[in-house]
Amino acid sequence: MKIYIIGIGLIGGSMGLDIKALYPEATIYGIDTNKKHVEEAIALNVINFEGAITDLVNADFVIVSVPVDTALRVLPEVLDNIGEHTIVFEVGSTKNPICEAVANHSKRRNFIATHPIAGTEFSGPSAAITNLFDGKTNIICEVERTAFKLQEKALDLFKSMGMRIRYMDPKSHDKHIAYVSHLSHISSFMLGKTVINKEKDEQDIFDMAGSGFESTVRLAKSSPAMWTPIFKQNKLEVVEALEGYIANLTQFKELLIQDEYTAIFDEMQSVNKIKEILNGMHVKK
Amino acid sequence: MKIYIIGIGLIGGSMGLDIKALYPEATIYGIDTNKKHVEEAIALNVINFEGAITDLVNADFVIVSVPVDTALRVLPEVLDNIGEHTIVFEVGSTKNPICEAVANHSKRRNFIATHPIAGTEFSGPSAAITNLFDGKTNIICEVERTAFKLQEKALDLFKSMGMRIRYMDPKSHDKHIAYVSHLSHISSFMLGKTVINKEKDEQDIFDMAGSGFESTVRLAKSSPAMWTPIFKQNKLEVVEALEGYIANLTQFKELLIQDEYTAIFDEMQSVNKIKEILNGMHVKK
C-alpha cells in the first residue's frame, strides 16, 4: 500500500502515524514545499520517504492536508496525476470552495471531500500525534460524487482510525462550521488581543490569569497561515456569525450598563444548557 | 484547630479537603444556607460538622466562600462574632467592594482579603477537589491592614496548600481581573449563546463541534448565581473590557468585509505571542 501525504503537518502527519500503526506494510511518502518539514517528518518517523507529485499514479491513497487556499490549486494537479484506483481526500475546514474547484474534473470520482473534526492548536510535523482521530467526527460532503468502490476504501480507513462518519452537503457544512469552529477561533484571537493590548506594559498581570483564561484563549495559538485562507473562503458565513456574536456581547454590555442583573442571570442560566450539549459530544462515539 | 467554612462550594470545599489532609487534627465546621449542601459536604467528608455563626469565637480560621454579594453582608457579621485570635479570609473574585465593606470594622485587623486564582466551571460541595490550589496564585489585598501575627498564620496555610502569593491593591486587582478573568467568562457565555441560538433546531450540529469549541465555551457552564454579583460589583471595569473586546471583534469583521487578508494574518500572528505568555504561566511556580 502506497500512501502520499501532501502537506505534512498536524492533520496529515497524524494520519501518517495512524496508518503506520494500522497497516505496517504501508509505505508513506510525504510531499511538502517546506523541505525542513519533509526532513523532520522522516526523522520523526511520520513518513518513510519524500515523494513527488509525478509519482502519484501508483498511489493507493493521497491525503491533501495543506492550507485551504493551497488546496484549491494543488488538488486539481493531484487529480491530474493519479491512477485509476487512487482515492484522494482533502481535510480542510471549508468544503464548498474545494468541491467547486474540482466539480468538473475528469477524475472527480476519485476524490472524497472530508473534514475530520480533530486537531490541536499546534502545527507542523512535530504536532503530529497518534490516535488524534479516535472518536472524532469526520464530515463527508457530496459522497454520491465519489466512485462507490473508492468510497468504501476511504470509509474503511476512516473507521479504522476510529472516526464516526457524518454526511452533509458542502454549503451546510460551511455554514454550520462557521459557528461551531471558525467563530471560536476569532473569539479566542480577539480575547487574546484585548488582554495583551491592555496589559502590554504589565507582563506580571498574566500571573493573575487562571485556567479559565487559558482555556478561552487556547485557540489564539493557532496558525495564521492555516486560518487566514479559511476565513477568506468562508467569509460570508463567518461575517454573519461574528455579527451575531457582537450583537449578543453588545446586548450583554447594555444589560450591565442598565443594571439589569436579573436579565444577566437569566441569560447565563439559559446558556448553561451547553453542559448537556457538550456532554452529548462526549458520548457520541 | 477549628476551621469554619461559610459557603461550602468549589472553593470553600476544596480548602476544607486540603486542610484535612495537611492538619489531621483540625475540626472543620461548615455553614451554608443550603442545608442539602451541609449534608452533602458531611457525606463527602469535606467538613466534619455543621457549625453556627454564633460559635465563631473559638475559630482559628474562618473561610468566607460565598457569592460576592452575600460576602458584603456576611463578612461584617462574621467579624462581629469572632475571637481575638481568629483570622478570617474571603476568597471572591472582586476585592474592592469587600475591602470597603469592612474598612472601618473594629475587627478589620482579623481579616485578610484574598483571591485564590483557582477553580473549575463546576460548583457546590461535590465540585470540591484536593490540591486545587497547588501551584496557583493567591492575590492578597491591603495586607498591611491585617494584624502581623494573623497574616503569618494565613500565609502559612496558603503556602502549605502550595499557593504562590502576590500582593496588590484592591482597585488594581479588580481592574486587571476584569480582563484576565471576568471578560473570558462573558466571551464564553456569549459564544455559547450565539451558537445555541443559531443551531437551536439542529441539535445534531453539535456533533460538528470539536475540542476547540469545547475549550472556548467551557466557562459558559459556570454558575450564574456566582457570576452575576461579580459582574455587578465590577461593572465599570467589566464594561470597559467588553467595549475593548467588541471593538477588536468589529475591527476584525471589517477587515474581513474589506478582504484585508494580510492585515488579518498580521493580527493573528501578533496575538500568537500568547503562547509564550501562557507558557510563562506554567513555569510560574
Side-chain angles (χ1 to χ4, degrees):
Chain A
M1 188 153 71
K2 288 189 174 182
I3 314 278
Y4 284 75
I5 299 172
I6 304 183
I8 321 154
L10 166 70
I11 299 295
S14 298
M15 288 204 161
L17 290 174
D18 279 359
I19 291 170
K20 281 202 163 188
L22 289 162
Y23 307 102
E25 78 288 3
T27 306
I28 303 185
Y29 299 88
I31 301 177
D32 203 304
T33 48
N34 184 334
K35 292 300 163 199
K36 281 193 179 157
H37 278 188
V38 175
E39 289 162 23
E40 204 182 337
I42 292 172
L44 291 166
N45 214 21
V46 165
I47 61 170
N48 298 112
F49 305 107
E50 180 167 12
I53 210 153
T54 46
D55 297 338
L56 299 182
V57 66
N58 296 315
D60 293 284
F61 285 97
V62 182
I63 303 169
V64 178
S65 45
V66 294
V68 294
D69 52 346
T70 310
L72 294 184
R73 179 172 52 72
V74 165
L75 187 60
E77 200 186 334
V78 166
L79 293 180
D80 291 343
N81 282 278
I82 57 171
E84 197 185 337
H85 302 294
T86 307
I87 171 90
V88 178
F89 59 93
E90 186 273 338
V91 297
S93 192
T94 51
K95 291 275 71 70
N96 198 50
I98 207 84
C99 285
E100 283 184 349
V102 295
N104 301 313
H105 196 286
S106 61
K107 293 274 183 62
R108 174 63 184 87
R109 296 184 67 74
N110 291 68
F111 170 66
I112 186 162
T114 72
H115 180 195
I117 311 286
T120 70
E121 64 277 29
F122 305 112
S123 46
S126 62
I129 50 176
T130 53
N131 294 320
L132 177 63
F133 306 100
D134 188 30
K136 307 293 166 54
T137 299
N138 193 5
I139 299 172
I140 295 187
C141 295
E142 297 188 335
V143 70
E144 69 287 354
R145 302 211 55 198
T146 305
F148 186 67
K149 283 206 162 178
L150 297 176
Q151 280 180 38
E152 265 189 323
K153 207 167 139 181
L155 290 178
D156 281 350
L157 180 69
F158 301 146
K159 286 178 187 165
S160 310
M161 290 179 182
M163 286 196 266
R164 179 172 173 266
I165 309 300
R166 292 202 64 210
Y167 299 96
M168 195 172 273
D169 72 276
K171 283 191 178 161
S172 297
H173 168 276
D174 290 5
K175 187 177 191 62
H176 294 301
I177 208 75
Y179 282 84
V180 296
S181 167
H182 303 174
L183 179 59
S184 297
H185 283 79
I186 299 174
S187 85
S188 198
F189 269 108
M190 291 303 103
L191 180 67
K193 179 180 176 179
T194 307
V195 178
I196 289 172
N197 282 3
K198 177 67 185 179
E199 307 292 3
K200 58 179 170 280
D201 301 321
E202 306 192 58
Q203 180 67 28
D204 285 356
I205 291 308
F206 288 95
D207 282 0
M208 293 177 76
S211 57
F213 178 69
E214 197 170 359
S215 170
T216 324
V217 297
R218 181 170 72 83
L219 299 179
K221 301 179 196 170
S222 303
S223 156
M226 175 181 160
W227 281 93
T228 303
I230 292 173
F231 297 143
K232 183 177 177 180
Q233 289 189 9
N234 208 19
K235 170 179 163 174
L236 296 181
E237 302 297 349
V238 171
V239 166
E240 190 197 295
L242 256 175
E243 280 171 348
Y245 184 49
I246 293 169
N248 285 329
L249 286 162
T250 304
Q251 188 215 2
F252 192 95
K253 189 192 77 177
E254 291 303 322
L255 290 175
L256 202 48
I257 289 173
Q258 291 155 26
D259 296 313
E260 295 280 0
Y261 299 108
T262 307
I264 285 175
F265 181 97
D266 293 345
E267 283 270 296
M268 290 195 280
Q269 194 170 49
S270 131
V271 183
N272 270 171
K273 67 173 174 249
I274 201 89
K275 277 181 213 174
E276 285 77 47
I277 293 170
L278 294 174
N279 285 344
M281 281 172 55
H282 282 142
V283 295
K284 73 185 174 188
K285 201 186 163 185
Chain B
M1 187 155 71
K2 288 188 175 183
I3 315 278
Y4 285 75
I5 300 172
I6 304 183
I8 320 155
L10 166 69
I11 300 295
S14 297
M15 289 205 160
L17 290 175
D18 279 358
I19 292 170
K20 280 202 163 186
L22 289 162
Y23 307 102
E25 77 287 4
T27 306
I28 305 186
Y29 299 88
I31 301 177
D32 203 304
T33 47
N34 183 335
K35 292 300 163 198
K36 281 191 180 158
H37 278 188
V38 175
E39 288 162 24
E40 204 181 340
I42 292 172
L44 291 166
N45 213 21
V46 165
I47 61 171
N48 298 111
F49 305 107
E50 181 166 13
I53 210 154
T54 46
D55 296 338
L56 300 181
V57 67
N58 295 316
D60 292 283
F61 284 98
V62 182
I63 302 168
V64 178
S65 43
V66 294
V68 295
D69 52 346
T70 311
L72 294 183
R73 180 174 50 73
V74 164
L75 187 61
E77 200 186 333
V78 166
L79 293 180
D80 290 344
N81 280 277
I82 57 170
E84 197 183 338
H85 303 293
T86 307
I87 172 87
V88 178
F89 58 95
E90 186 274 336
V91 297
S93 191
T94 51
K95 291 274 71 70
N96 198 50
I98 207 85
C99 285
E100 283 184 349
V102 295
N104 300 313
H105 196 286
S106 62
K107 294 274 182 62
R108 173 64 185 85
R109 296 183 68 74
N110 291 66
F111 171 67
I112 186 161
T114 73
H115 180 194
I117 311 285
T120 69
E121 66 275 28
F122 306 112
S123 47
S126 61
I129 50 176
T130 52
N131 294 320
L132 176 63
F133 307 100
D134 188 30
K136 307 293 167 57
T137 299
N138 193 4
I139 299 172
I140 296 186
C141 295
E142 296 187 336
V143 68
E144 69 286 355
R145 302 210 55 197
T146 306
F148 186 69
K149 284 205 162 180
L150 296 177
Q151 280 180 35
E152 266 189 319
K153 207 167 140 181
L155 290 178
D156 282 350
L157 180 69
F158 301 146
K159 287 177 185 164
S160 312
M161 289 179 183
M163 286 196 267
R164 178 171 174 268
I165 308 298
R166 294 202 63 211
Y167 299 96
M168 195 173 271
D169 71 275
K171 282 190 180 162
S172 297
H173 168 275
D174 290 5
K175 186 177 192 61
H176 294 300
I177 208 76
Y179 283 84
V180 296
S181 166
H182 303 175
L183 179 59
S184 297
H185 283 78
I186 299 174
S187 84
S188 198
F189 269 109
M190 291 302 103
L191 180 67
K193 179 181 175 179
T194 307
V195 178
I196 289 172
N197 281 3
K198 178 68 185 177
E199 308 291 2
K200 54 179 171 283
D201 301 322
E202 307 192 56
Q203 180 67 30
D204 284 355
I205 292 307
F206 288 95
D207 282 359
M208 293 179 75
S211 58
F213 178 70
E214 195 170 359
S215 169
T216 323
V217 298
R218 181 170 71 84
L219 298 179
K221 301 180 197 171
S222 303
S223 156
M226 175 180 159
W227 281 95
T228 303
I230 291 172
F231 297 142
K232 182 176 178 181
Q233 287 188 11
N234 208 20
K235 170 180 165 173
L236 295 181
E237 302 296 350
V238 171
V239 166
E240 191 196 294
L242 256 176
E243 281 171 348
Y245 185 49
I246 293 169
N248 285 329
L249 286 163
T250 304
Q251 189 216 0
F252 192 95
K253 189 192 76 176
E254 292 302 323
L255 290 176
L256 203 48
I257 289 172
Q258 291 154 27
D259 295 314
E260 295 281 0
Y261 299 109
T262 308
I264 284 176
F265 181 97
D266 293 345
E267 283 271 296
M268 290 195 280
Q269 193 169 50
S270 131
V271 182
N272 269 172
K273 67 172 177 250
I274 202 90
K275 280 181 210 173
E276 286 74 50
I277 293 170
L278 294 174
N279 285 344
M281 281 171 56
H282 282 143
V283 296
K284 72 188 177 188
K285 200 187 164 183

